[in-house]
Amino acid sequence: MVKLIGKNKLNIAIFISGKGSNLNNLIKFSKKKSAINIKMVVSSNKNAGGLIFAKKNKIKIIVLNCKNKSFNEKKLLKILEVNKIKLICLAGFMKILTVNFIKNFKGKIINIHPSLLPKYKGLHTHKRAINNKEKYAGCTVHFVNKNLDSGKIIMQKKIKILKKDTISTLAKRVLRLEHQIYPRAVQKIVANL
Ligand code: GRF
């Protein structure tokens, strides 16, 4: 196991598009005795609520110009390289990374998804799970590959779907699980580098 202290902490970029509760949670985790340094937040949306957490914590922000389908990937890859980013954590990032980007980024890319993969890839996971009368819901941290929500699973956690659950109560309960496992999954990856 590599011990990462002070300036030798692993540089991470978090990619977001929305409210950023996972980002905020990972920032808090990085400030504890963790081996990570959140060096940059990349957003596909200039109005993403989560940017407030980056600003508050003085973390560099990159907003992608997504009018362009491939948002100048080459430039982004260069920025990641210059900033020595070794791990990208997708946290509610609503753009699909291209094969080219995944192939050319020199570190690892992981994502958190609000379902028990391989079930319910894509959107509206809670609605589909409730409609299908699933007994369990949950979340998964996985490596990103060229197929949506399909890379190797790093960590999963499940909860029972309650009779009284609505899409919104289930989403809230699963989000709490996400906040538990995303830091743990990051820690696991860093420990195995
Ligand atoms: C989470 O449910 C995550 O699993 C999914 O998008 C949501 C992002 O939430 N990929 P937040 O922006 O981190 O609050």
Side-chain angles (χ1 to χ4, degrees), residues 65-137:
N65 176 1
C66 289
K67 277 184 209 139
N68 226 331
K69 199 167 173 257
S70 61
F71 57 77
N72 205 341
E73 282 182 357
K74 222 174 159 187
K75 194 170 159 196
L76 180 59
L77 283 165
K78 189 77 206 160
I79 295 173
L80 295 167
E81 189 191 326
V82 168
N83 283 279
K84 299 188 171 58
I85 301 295
K86 304 289 185 228
L87 176 67
I88 292 174
C89 297
L90 307 183
F93 184 64
M94 298 306 283
K95 290 272 152 206
I96 295 177
L97 297 173
T98 65
V99 177
N100 182 61
F101 182 90
I102 297 168
K103 209 173 76 194
N104 288 306
F105 174 64
K106 298 283 177 271
K108 294 181 189 301
I109 309 177
I110 63 174
N111 179 41
I112 188 151
H113 184 75
S115 81
L116 294 169
L117 290 174
K119 280 188 166 179
Y120 306 116
K121 297 172 183 175
L123 298 174
H124 311 301
T125 55
H126 305 306
K127 186 178 178 194
R128 288 189 281 150
I130 289 176
N131 286 347
N132 286 344
K133 305 204 175 345
E134 292 285 355
K135 282 197 170 131
Y136 293 96

Side-chain angles (χ1 to χ4, degrees), residues 111-163:
N111 179 41
I112 188 151
H113 184 75
S115 81
L116 294 169
L117 290 174
K119 280 188 166 179
Y120 306 116
K121 297 172 183 175
L123 298 174
H124 311 301
T125 55
H126 305 306
K127 186 178 178 194
R128 288 189 281 150
I130 289 176
N131 286 347
N132 286 344
K133 305 204 175 345
E134 292 285 355
K135 282 197 170 131
Y136 293 96
C139 54
T140 307
V141 179
H142 64 94
F143 286 107
V144 171
N145 66 12
K146 63 181 179 20
N147 299 316
L148 182 70
D149 300 329
S150 297
K152 191 173 166 227
I153 291 174
I154 302 160
M155 206 171 274
Q156 252 179 351
K157 191 153 184 179
K158 67 178 182 180
I159 43 167
K160 267 204 165 145
I161 299 181
L162 307 173
K163 277 213 177 88

